[in-house]
Amino acid sequence: MRSIEQLKNASLITAIKTPYQANGEIDLNAYDQLVLAQIDAGVDGIVVGGTTGEGQLMNWEEHLMLIAHSVAKFSDKLIIVGNTGSNNTREAIKATQYGFATGMDAALQINPYYGRSSIAGVKEHLSRVLALGPAFIYNVPGRTGQDLTPEILIPFASHPNFIGIKECAGNERIADYERQGIACWSGNDDEAHDARHLFGSHGVISVTSNLVPNIMRQLMDKSNPALNTHTQPLINWLFCEPNPIAINTALMMTGAVKPVFRLPYVPLTHSQREIGLSLMSELDVNELVGGKANHLSDDAFILTA
């Protein structure tokens, strides 16, 4: 297991996509190829079974299997972060214990969503999961319906297992945390370049790097406003519907994964796919995981439950 300081040095972590076979089961061969593409591009780590990886659509057996598989195959080359958070504290504890038992480097922990708790309950939840091992705390109010404000999180910054925050509440908050010595990773790809080079973030936990890891690597390594501006239309398209709908569609269009969706996610519409095809066609084919993007008809997609 890597140290907290080693984990803080990771500037580009990919929230890796989970691909499926035609029968709806996880496609480990395709998954391995996706991860190898991240390694080749110099990505520092992956989040396994996050929102992008559709942990919310997996049972815990699948979820923990994929974390264990990732550790066994890739932990010598990548930081392995297991998304073992839950809105159920008991489940989060059990999953996190299993994740660390299989060798993951860190957990991604989230505040209880949907069945929201009081602030006191949120604090107790975070205390219980932080006690288990190194963790990134994920603040994404748009999905949880509850903002983890500085008043909630700052007291946890001194915890020995606290790595930092994946923050989706904007760059001003990231800058404020970083000025206090609290490590932050942007959770918004469109803001990540400026978060890193203008607001002092440690990096990004990225969706876009599934598709263009080399470009995201460049954007984290060095200030490059021109490249950032050039990449913004693609990033915006990748979030034209709730994530991970567009990144799934894009990787299917490049042939990186089979065109299989687990419901309730469905492909982008024909017109949305045409926009994406145009944007991806502007890039060097070597920048795209999977290769050249191609048109896919509506009947090319398989929807599984």
Side-chain angles (χ1 to χ4, degrees), residues 84-86 88-96 109 125 129 132:
T84 55
S86 174
N88 178 331
T89 306
R90 188 179 183 88
E91 281 192 353
I93 290 170
K94 185 175 181 180
T96 301
Q109 300 289 357
H125 174 89
V129 295
L132 304 174

Side-chain angles (χ1 to χ4, degrees), residues 123 130 149-159 162 177 182:
K123 290 179 178 179
L130 271 172
T149 63
E151 290 73 23
I152 296 171
L153 285 183
I154 287 173
F156 289 105
S158 60
H159 193 288
F162 178 89
Y177 279 137
I182 300 171

Side-chain angles (χ1 to χ4, degrees), residues 175-192:
D176 185 55
Y177 279 137
E178 290 282 358
R179 281 192 292 267
Q180 299 179 67
I182 300 171
C184 283
W185 285 259
S186 177
N188 299 327
D189 282 352
D190 61 330
E191 298 178 339

Side-chain angles (χ1 to χ4, degrees), residues 10-14 42-45 185 203-204 206 209 213 216-217 220:
S11 59
L12 178 56
I13 300 172
T14 298
V43 168
D44 299 304
W185 285 259
V204 63
S206 176
S209 53
M216 293 304 294
R217 181 73 274 169
M220 290 300 100

Side-chain angles (χ1 to χ4, degrees), residues 17 19 34 210-211 234 237-238 240 244-261 266-283 285 288-298 300-302:
K17 187 247 182 316
L34 291 178
N210 278 280
L211 180 66
L234 177 65
W237 175 72
L238 287 172
C240 66
I245 293 169
I247 192 65
N248 284 353
T249 306
L251 291 169
M252 292 168 189
M253 292 170 69
T254 66
V257 302
K258 295 179 178 68
V260 182
F261 277 84
V266 297
L268 293 179
T269 65
H270 174 85
S271 60
Q272 289 171 322
R273 297 197 300 272
E274 289 300 300
I275 293 169
L277 182 61
S278 176
L279 290 168
M280 287 187 282
S281 296
E282 294 175 3
L283 300 174
V285 68
L288 295 167
V289 171
K292 181 182 177 182
N294 293 290
H295 172 76
L296 291 177
S297 62
D298 289 339
F301 297 97
I302 299 170

